[in-house]
Amino acid sequence: MATTQPERQILVVGNDPVLLPRLQQLAAAHRMALQMVPGPEHLKGTENPAILVVPVSRQLLDFYARWKDAHPDCLLAAWADAPEHELWVGASAAGCDLVVNKGALDLVLAEQLQAWQAQGVLVQPRRRLPVKRLANPGEGLVGRVPDAPDGPIAVFRLEGRLCAFRDVCPHAGFSLSDGAFDADSGILTCPAHGSQFQVCTGARMRGPADFPI
Ligand code: FES
């Protein structure tokens, strides 16, 4: 495990022609060094950077976990071209501190760097949150995390898998977990105005909500 403080450096895996110039601007604005390596196999011998930028990839899930284990103070920021919900959740569970769309990455990192400057904390420690389990041995709602910092979380079981999502409808903010759940399709219907979502992918199946969960 790294014991030294992170360098004021942004290390970027991959030479993405859109992303790299934006990150170079970001680094210059915050007086940070920027180094690019073509792949994660080239990270051996590099400094302990403040930020490591990586693409989201199924093949890299093990790498994220190993890197985060060895560099807990480094902000591991992953970017993706497409919002593939399950892969994003997998990258986050593997240890990525941020998983965002490529187009938003430099803006999100700028916010993180401002917070680092103001509060002296770049990587927020992960917290375990207590789940209130419900007596449901079958499919559907099996637990809630009512006091999560970013709003209540609902946990559903579907085909033996546990899927968690923010229990707030993106249409008008009603609690989704009180809605009707169809275990065959995995679709949950918002009790307020009928928006429908797939509980394990978060996909929006029907409006009036405009966004997935
Ligand atoms: S609050 Fe869920 S559909 Fe309106």
Side-chain angles (χ1 to χ4, degrees):
M1 184 175 289
T3 54
T4 53
Q5 287 294 307
E7 300 289 321
R8 286 190 66 85
Q9 183 195 41
I10 301 175
L11 196 50
V12 184
V13 174
N15 185 6
D16 186 274
V18 173
L19 202 53
L20 202 55
R22 293 186 186 181
L23 294 176
Q24 282 164 336
Q25 275 187 6
L26 179 75
H30 290 268
R31 297 187 183 168
M32 297 178 76
L34 184 138
Q35 185 187 348
M36 190 279 292
V37 294
E41 66 278 12
H42 294 89
L43 287 169
K44 263 201 174 134
T46 54
E47 302 285 344
N48 180 27
I51 299 173
L52 178 68
V53 175
V54 288
V56 169
S57 160
R58 244 176 212 98
Q59 287 72 38
L60 292 180
L61 292 178
D62 283 347
F63 163 77
Y64 304 146
R66 284 198 311 275
W67 176 270
K68 199 61 203 173
D69 208 30
H71 304 82
D73 298 328
C74 168
L75 184 85
L76 183 54
W79 60 270
D81 278 319
E84 194 182 330
H85 185 78
E86 289 204 20
L87 185 53
W88 284 38
V89 171
S92 180
C96 292
D97 299 296
L98 291 177
V99 185
V100 293
N101 269 322
K102 180 164 77 172
L105 181 65
D106 57 329
L107 298 176
V108 175
L109 285 179
E111 285 172 9
Q112 299 281 324
L113 289 171
Q114 277 164 9
W116 188 24
Q117 202 162 340
Q119 299 156 13
V121 178
L122 183 59
V123 179
Q124 298 292 341
R126 293 198 166 214
R127 291 175 51 195
R128 285 181 181 272
L129 298 169
V131 178
K132 289 193 175 165
R133 290 169 191 265
L134 304 175
N136 175 12
E139 310 271 86
L141 182 66
V142 294
R144 285 192 168 104
V145 185
D147 302 321
D150 293 328
I153 292 172
V155 184
F156 274 63
R157 185 186 293 117
L158 180 64
E159 295 174 353
R161 293 170 60 203
L162 291 176
C163 306
F165 55 88
R166 208 164 154 245
D167 190 11
V168 178
C169 180
H171 175 233
F174 282 73
S175 168
L176 285 168
S177 59
D178 294 331
F181 178 63
D182 176 12
D184 290 332
S185 62
I187 289 176
L188 178 63
T189 301
C190 177
H193 312 108
S195 291
Q196 292 188 327
F197 306 92
Q198 217 288 343
V199 292
C200 280
T201 65
R204 185 197 75 115
M205 310 306 291
R206 187 177 81 187
D210 290 324
F211 301 104
I213 51 175

